[in-house]
Amino acid sequence: MVQQANAHWVVWITLLVGAMFSIMPLPEWLSLVRPAWVPLVVIYWVLALPERFGLFFAFITGLLLDVFQGSLFGLNSLGMMMVAFIVLSLHRRLRLFPVWQQAFMVFLMIGFYQLLLLWVRSAAGDTIPSVWYLLPSISSALIWPWVMSGLRFLRRYFRVV
């Protein structure tokens, strides 16, 4: 049996796995539709345990992702905090939604996240705006049911509370 006090390491392991999936090399045509793995994991943990994981958790996760990806410092933190704020404000409703409605909300949240990243990167001169930039929000919404099921299994198995 796993003790409750030691179970929070599961959250950080899932974030590390999500970060590894987000930087894994893929062919260029496939990297266009790479899901936003870390925001998906943040959405799940904030939705599942809003009293434990909130804006500070999203901020720290975003900073770690900035370091991990080598992007503008604070860019992912801003996006993660925006996503966490939306989830925190709607978490009671989102929990009652069927999975397909949750996937649609994930599509919107990841879409806002992607647009914010695009806006800041294009203002910094990094990226040229393109419609293809929003493809990760579609793939993230499509895989949300499996991500949610897998993380729910881990949360229950390791008794993360």
CSV table of all heavy atoms in Angstrom, one decimal, residues 85-110:
chain,number,residue,atom,x,y,z
A,85,PHE,N,-6.2,29.1,-14.3
A,85,PHE,CA,-7.2,30.0,-13.9
A,85,PHE,C,-8.6,29.6,-14.5
A,85,PHE,O,-9.6,29.6,-13.8
A,85,PHE,CB,-6.9,31.4,-14.2
A,85,PHE,CG,-8.0,32.4,-13.8
A,85,PHE,CD1,-8.1,32.8,-12.5
A,85,PHE,CD2,-8.8,32.9,-14.8
A,85,PHE,CE1,-9.1,33.7,-12.1
A,85,PHE,CE2,-9.8,33.8,-14.4
A,85,PHE,CZ,-10.0,34.2,-13.1
A,86,ILE,N,-8.6,29.3,-15.7
A,86,ILE,CA,-9.9,28.9,-16.4
A,86,ILE,C,-10.4,27.6,-15.8
A,86,ILE,O,-11.6,27.5,-15.4
A,86,ILE,CB,-9.7,28.7,-17.9
A,86,ILE,CG1,-9.4,30.1,-18.6
A,86,ILE,CG2,-10.9,28.1,-18.6
A,86,ILE,CD1,-9.0,30.0,-20.0
A,87,VAL,N,-9.5,26.6,-15.6
A,87,VAL,CA,-9.9,25.3,-15.0
A,87,VAL,C,-10.4,25.6,-13.5
A,87,VAL,O,-11.4,25.0,-13.1
A,87,VAL,CB,-8.8,24.3,-15.0
A,87,VAL,CG1,-9.1,23.1,-14.2
A,87,VAL,CG2,-8.4,24.0,-16.4
A,88,LEU,N,-9.7,26.4,-12.8
A,88,LEU,CA,-10.1,26.6,-11.4
A,88,LEU,C,-11.5,27.3,-11.3
A,88,LEU,O,-12.3,27.0,-10.4
A,88,LEU,CB,-9.1,27.5,-10.6
A,88,LEU,CG,-7.8,26.8,-10.2
A,88,LEU,CD1,-6.8,27.8,-9.7
A,88,LEU,CD2,-8.2,25.8,-9.1
A,89,SER,N,-11.7,28.2,-12.3
A,89,SER,CA,-13.0,28.9,-12.2
A,89,SER,C,-14.2,28.0,-12.7
A,89,SER,O,-15.3,28.3,-12.3
A,89,SER,CB,-13.0,30.2,-13.1
A,89,SER,OG,-12.0,30.4,-13.8
A,90,LEU,N,-13.9,27.0,-13.5
A,90,LEU,CA,-14.9,26.2,-14.0
A,90,LEU,C,-14.9,24.7,-13.5
A,90,LEU,O,-15.6,23.9,-14.0
A,90,LEU,CB,-14.9,26.1,-15.5
A,90,LEU,CG,-15.0,27.5,-16.3
A,90,LEU,CD1,-14.8,27.3,-17.7
A,90,LEU,CD2,-16.4,28.0,-16.0
A,91,HIS,N,-14.0,24.4,-12.5
A,91,HIS,CA,-13.8,23.0,-12.2
A,91,HIS,C,-15.0,22.3,-11.7
A,91,HIS,O,-15.2,21.1,-12.0
A,91,HIS,CB,-12.6,22.9,-11.2
A,91,HIS,CG,-13.0,23.1,-9.8
A,91,HIS,ND1,-13.0,24.4,-9.3
A,91,HIS,CD2,-13.3,22.3,-8.8
A,91,HIS,CE1,-13.3,24.3,-8.0
A,91,HIS,NE2,-13.5,23.1,-7.7
A,92,ARG,N,-15.9,22.9,-11.0
A,92,ARG,CA,-17.1,22.2,-10.6
A,92,ARG,C,-18.0,21.8,-11.8
A,92,ARG,O,-18.6,20.8,-11.8
A,92,ARG,CB,-17.9,23.1,-9.6
A,92,ARG,CG,-17.2,23.2,-8.3
A,92,ARG,CD,-18.1,23.8,-7.2
A,92,ARG,NE,-17.4,23.9,-5.9
A,92,ARG,CZ,-16.8,24.9,-5.5
A,92,ARG,NH1,-16.8,26.1,-6.1
A,92,ARG,NH2,-16.2,24.9,-4.3
A,93,ARG,N,-18.1,22.7,-12.7
A,93,ARG,CA,-18.9,22.4,-13.9
A,93,ARG,C,-18.2,21.4,-14.8
A,93,ARG,O,-18.8,20.5,-15.3
A,93,ARG,CB,-19.1,23.7,-14.7
A,93,ARG,CG,-20.5,24.2,-14.6
A,93,ARG,CD,-20.6,25.4,-15.5
A,93,ARG,NE,-20.8,26.6,-14.6
A,93,ARG,CZ,-20.7,27.8,-15.0
A,93,ARG,NH1,-20.5,28.1,-16.3
A,93,ARG,NH2,-20.9,28.8,-14.2
A,94,LEU,N,-16.9,21.6,-15.0
A,94,LEU,CA,-16.1,20.7,-15.9
A,94,LEU,C,-16.2,19.2,-15.4
A,94,LEU,O,-16.2,18.3,-16.2
A,94,LEU,CB,-14.7,21.1,-16.0
A,94,LEU,CG,-14.4,22.3,-16.8
A,94,LEU,CD1,-12.9,22.8,-16.7
A,94,LEU,CD2,-14.7,22.1,-18.3
A,95,ARG,N,-16.2,19.0,-14.1
A,95,ARG,CA,-16.3,17.6,-13.6
A,95,ARG,C,-17.6,16.9,-14.0
A,95,ARG,O,-17.6,15.7,-14.1
A,95,ARG,CB,-16.1,17.6,-12.1
A,95,ARG,CG,-14.7,17.9,-11.6
A,95,ARG,CD,-14.7,17.9,-10.1
A,95,ARG,NE,-13.4,18.0,-9.6
A,95,ARG,CZ,-13.1,18.0,-8.3
A,95,ARG,NH1,-14.1,17.9,-7.4
A,95,ARG,NH2,-11.9,18.2,-7.9
A,96,LEU,N,-18.6,17.7,-14.1
A,96,LEU,CA,-19.9,17.1,-14.4
A,96,LEU,C,-20.1,16.9,-15.9
A,96,LEU,O,-21.0,16.2,-16.3
A,96,LEU,CB,-21.0,18.0,-13.9
A,96,LEU,CG,-21.1,18.2,-12.4
A,96,LEU,CD1,-22.2,19.3,-12.0
A,96,LEU,CD2,-21.3,16.9,-11.7
A,97,PHE,N,-19.3,17.5,-16.7
A,97,PHE,CA,-19.5,17.4,-18.2
A,97,PHE,C,-19.1,16.0,-18.6
A,97,PHE,O,-18.2,15.3,-18.1
A,97,PHE,CB,-18.5,18.3,-18.9
A,97,PHE,CG,-18.9,19.8,-18.9
A,97,PHE,CD1,-18.1,20.7,-19.5
A,97,PHE,CD2,-20.1,20.2,-18.4
A,97,PHE,CE1,-18.4,22.1,-19.5
A,97,PHE,CE2,-20.5,21.6,-18.4
A,97,PHE,CZ,-19.6,22.5,-19.0
A,98,PRO,N,-19.8,15.5,-19.7
A,98,PRO,CA,-19.4,14.2,-20.3
A,98,PRO,C,-18.0,14.4,-20.9
A,98,PRO,O,-17.5,15.6,-21.2
A,98,PRO,CB,-20.4,14.0,-21.4
A,98,PRO,CG,-21.4,15.0,-21.3
A,98,PRO,CD,-21.0,16.0,-20.3
A,99,VAL,N,-17.3,13.4,-21.2
A,99,VAL,CA,-15.9,13.4,-21.7
A,99,VAL,C,-15.8,14.2,-23.0
A,99,VAL,O,-14.9,15.0,-23.2
A,99,VAL,CB,-15.4,12.0,-21.9
A,99,VAL,CG1,-14.0,12.1,-22.5
A,99,VAL,CG2,-15.3,11.3,-20.6
A,100,TRP,N,-16.8,14.1,-23.9
A,100,TRP,CA,-16.7,14.9,-25.2
A,100,TRP,C,-16.8,16.4,-24.9
A,100,TRP,O,-16.2,17.2,-25.6
A,100,TRP,CB,-17.8,14.4,-26.2
A,100,TRP,CG,-19.2,14.7,-25.8
A,100,TRP,CD1,-20.0,13.9,-25.1
A,100,TRP,CD2,-19.9,15.8,-26.2
A,100,TRP,NE1,-21.2,14.5,-25.0
A,100,TRP,CE2,-21.2,15.7,-25.6
A,100,TRP,CE3,-19.7,17.0,-26.9
A,100,TRP,CZ2,-22.2,16.6,-25.8
A,100,TRP,CZ3,-20.7,17.9,-27.1
A,100,TRP,CH2,-21.9,17.7,-26.5
A,101,GLN,N,-17.6,16.8,-23.9
A,101,GLN,CA,-17.7,18.2,-23.6
A,101,GLN,C,-16.4,18.7,-22.9
A,101,GLN,O,-15.9,19.8,-23.2
A,101,GLN,CB,-18.9,18.5,-22.7
A,101,GLN,CG,-20.2,18.6,-23.5
A,101,GLN,CD,-21.4,18.9,-22.6
A,101,GLN,OE1,-21.3,18.7,-21.4
A,101,GLN,NE2,-22.4,19.4,-23.2
A,102,GLN,N,-15.8,17.8,-22.1
A,102,GLN,CA,-14.5,18.2,-21.5
A,102,GLN,C,-13.5,18.3,-22.6
A,102,GLN,O,-12.6,19.2,-22.5
A,102,GLN,CB,-14.1,17.1,-20.5
A,102,GLN,CG,-14.8,17.1,-19.2
A,102,GLN,CD,-14.3,16.1,-18.3
A,102,GLN,OE1,-13.4,15.3,-18.6
A,102,GLN,NE2,-15.0,16.0,-17.1
A,103,ALA,N,-13.5,17.5,-23.6
A,103,ALA,CA,-12.6,17.5,-24.7
A,103,ALA,C,-12.7,18.8,-25.5
A,103,ALA,O,-11.7,19.4,-25.9
A,103,ALA,CB,-12.7,16.3,-25.6
A,104,PHE,N,-14.0,19.3,-25.6
A,104,PHE,CA,-14.2,20.6,-26.3
A,104,PHE,C,-13.6,21.7,-25.5
A,104,PHE,O,-13.0,22.6,-26.0
A,104,PHE,CB,-15.7,20.8,-26.6
A,104,PHE,CG,-16.0,22.1,-27.3
A,104,PHE,CD1,-15.6,22.3,-28.6
A,104,PHE,CD2,-16.5,23.1,-26.5
A,104,PHE,CE1,-15.8,23.5,-29.2
A,104,PHE,CE2,-16.8,24.3,-27.2
A,104,PHE,CZ,-16.4,24.5,-28.5
A,105,MET,N,-13.8,21.7,-24.2
A,105,MET,CA,-13.2,22.7,-23.3
A,105,MET,C,-11.7,22.7,-23.3
A,105,MET,O,-11.0,23.7,-23.3
A,105,MET,CB,-13.8,22.6,-21.9
A,105,MET,CG,-15.2,22.9,-21.8
A,105,MET,SD,-15.6,24.6,-22.3
A,105,MET,CE,-14.8,25.5,-21.1
A,106,VAL,N,-11.1,21.5,-23.4
A,106,VAL,CA,-9.7,21.3,-23.5
A,106,VAL,C,-9.2,21.9,-24.8
A,106,VAL,O,-8.2,22.6,-24.9
A,106,VAL,CB,-9.3,19.8,-23.4
A,106,VAL,CG1,-7.8,19.6,-23.9
A,106,VAL,CG2,-9.4,19.4,-22.0
A,107,PHE,N,-10.0,21.7,-25.9
A,107,PHE,CA,-9.7,22.3,-27.2
A,107,PHE,C,-9.6,23.8,-27.1
A,107,PHE,O,-8.7,24.5,-27.5
A,107,PHE,CB,-10.7,21.9,-28.2
A,107,PHE,CG,-10.7,22.7,-29.5
A,107,PHE,CD1,-9.7,22.6,-30.4
A,107,PHE,CD2,-11.7,23.6,-29.7
A,107,PHE,CE1,-9.7,23.3,-31.6
A,107,PHE,CE2,-11.7,24.4,-30.9
A,107,PHE,CZ,-10.7,24.2,-31.8
A,108,LEU,N,-10.6,24.4,-26.4
A,108,LEU,CA,-10.6,25.9,-26.2
A,108,LEU,C,-9.5,26.4,-25.4
A,108,LEU,O,-8.8,27.4,-25.7
A,108,LEU,CB,-11.9,26.3,-25.6
A,108,LEU,CG,-13.2,26.2,-26.5
A,108,LEU,CD1,-14.4,26.6,-25.7
A,108,LEU,CD2,-13.0,27.0,-27.8
A,109,MET,N,-9.2,25.7,-24.3
A,109,MET,CA,-8.1,26.1,-23.4
A,109,MET,C,-6.8,26.0,-24.0
A,109,MET,O,-5.9,26.9,-23.9
A,109,MET,CB,-8.2,25.3,-22.1
A,109,MET,CG,-9.3,25.7,-21.2
A,109,MET,SD,-9.3,24.9,-19.6
A,109,MET,CE,-10.1,23.4,-20.0
A,110,ILE,N,-6.5,24.9,-24.7
A,110,ILE,CA,-5.2,24.7,-25.3
A,110,ILE,C,-5.1,25.7,-26.5
A,110,ILE,O,-4.0,26.2,-26.8
A,110,ILE,CB,-5.0,23.3,-25.8
A,110,ILE,CG1,-5.0,22.3,-24.6
A,110,ILE,CG2,-3.7,23.1,-26.6
A,110,ILE,CD1,-3.9,22.5,-23.6
